[in-house]
Structures are given as C-alpha cells and as structure tokens.
Amino acid sequence: SRASGVAVSPDGDALYVSAAGNINPFEGYISHFSVAPEGQIAFQGCVSSDGSSGACGSAGGKLLHDTHGIAVSPNDASLYSASGEGVISHYTIDPLSRQFTWADCVSNNGSSGACEDVPGAGEPLADAEQVAVSPDGRSVYATGSAAETVSHFETGPSGQLKWEGCVSSSSTSHCAQ
C-alpha cells in the first residue's frame, strides 16, 4: 500500500495514516499508531474496505476505496477521511484506546444506503482528495478534483456529518460559483 494521507491527534499521542493499495488502489486502509513522548510510533490497528482477512476492522463496501486525505477533530473524538469514490466518512475515536470505528458518511450517491446522499444533481465529491476540520470542530471541508469543488459539512454533537453545500469553478458540479 502507498501512504496517501496522515493526521496527528491534537495532543500528539496518536497518528493516523490512510493508504491505497499499490496494485489495486481500491483496497483502502486507515491505520492507527500510538506515538511515544520521544516520537517513536507503534502500530495499534487498522480499518480496511474488506477487513483484510481479519487483520483489520472492516468499513464495508466502497467507503474506503481510494482513500486519500484524513483529519482529526480538535476534540480528538472524530476522524474524517476522503475517498476518491466520492465518500467522506466519519469515525468515532475511543478516548482511551484511540482506536476508531466507522460511524457515518456522506457520498454523491448514498453508497448503497450506507451514506447520506448529497442532495441535488451533480457529483461534488467525485475524486475527493483532502479533508480538513475547522479549529472549532463545527465544520468539515473536502476537496473534489473531478469538478474542482470545495464542499462544506456541519458536524453534529457526536461529529456526524451534515451536508451544507459546495463551491466550484465548474458549472457542471451544481455548486455555487
């Protein structure tokens, strides 16, 4: 797998790395590492598209396919990832173990009922690459390279994603210009 994104917890005790497969980019992974005070890292666990034959937890379906950017919320309770399949996923982080569990997502097409569907026509999340969380943790932003978009999500009390809209330089994205 090739690493495609990295995020550090606000207190520096945990590191999260996203990766896509070398041969098959649709084999998406997010791994969790603990970080010692001296900076050494140690593998703690992972989530993958298919569970990697029991080596990782499973996110199921295409939620992690072609995963790129990841970000941790300022309160260290949520992790977000951007997938080239047009999916922005939210994971909750256990405050003690720092392990993360898939919670919800937003996608261009609802991803077979697993995700909230972006309203309206167009695919603003196509080829989603990067994701960022605002300093107050109330907003998540994602870029989509296919339609040159920046999408905005509001976060709920538990970090869940709620679509708010997008801006784009392309009129085909159905976003504000």
Side-chain angles (χ1 to χ4, degrees):
S1 292
R2 60 177 171 78
S4 54
V6 63
V8 179
S9 65
D11 63 9
D13 287 348
L15 175 74
Y16 302 93
V17 177
S18 62
N22 286 331
I23 297 171
N24 182 357
F26 300 111
E27 294 173 349
Y29 300 86
I30 298 176
S31 298
H32 164 231
F33 299 85
S34 61
V35 181
E38 300 81 30
Q40 301 93 336
I41 61 173
F43 178 77
Q44 297 297 316
C46 56
V47 171
S48 71
S49 296
D50 61 2
S52 301
S53 301
C56 296
S58 175
K62 297 181 177 183
L63 302 181
L64 282 174
H65 283 191
D66 199 20
T67 298
H68 293 287
I70 57 175
V72 179
S73 65
N75 67 359
D76 206 15
S78 294
L79 177 73
Y80 301 94
S81 69
S83 162
E85 288 284 313
V87 178
I88 307 301
S89 290
H90 165 236
Y91 305 83
T92 56
I93 300 173
D94 181 273
L96 298 176
S97 71
R98 301 296 179 91
Q99 294 292 350
F100 58 99
T101 305
W102 181 84
D104 58 272
C105 56
V106 176
S107 72
N108 285 324
N109 59 14
S111 291
S112 304
C115 300
E116 178 185 329
D117 191 9
V118 172
E123 295 190 347
L125 300 176
D127 292 329
E129 290 182 347
Q130 298 298 321
V131 63
V133 184
S134 64
D136 64 6
R138 291 181 176 174
S139 295
V140 172
Y141 302 94
T143 61
S145 65
E148 301 173 354
T149 61
V150 177
S151 297
H152 173 227
F153 304 88
E154 186 177 289
T155 60
S158 301
Q160 64 271 30
L161 296 165
K162 179 181 179 271
W163 173 258
E164 287 297 315
C166 56
V167 294
S168 175
S169 61
S170 168
S171 62
T172 61
S173 67
H174 299 280
C175 296
Q177 291 186 338

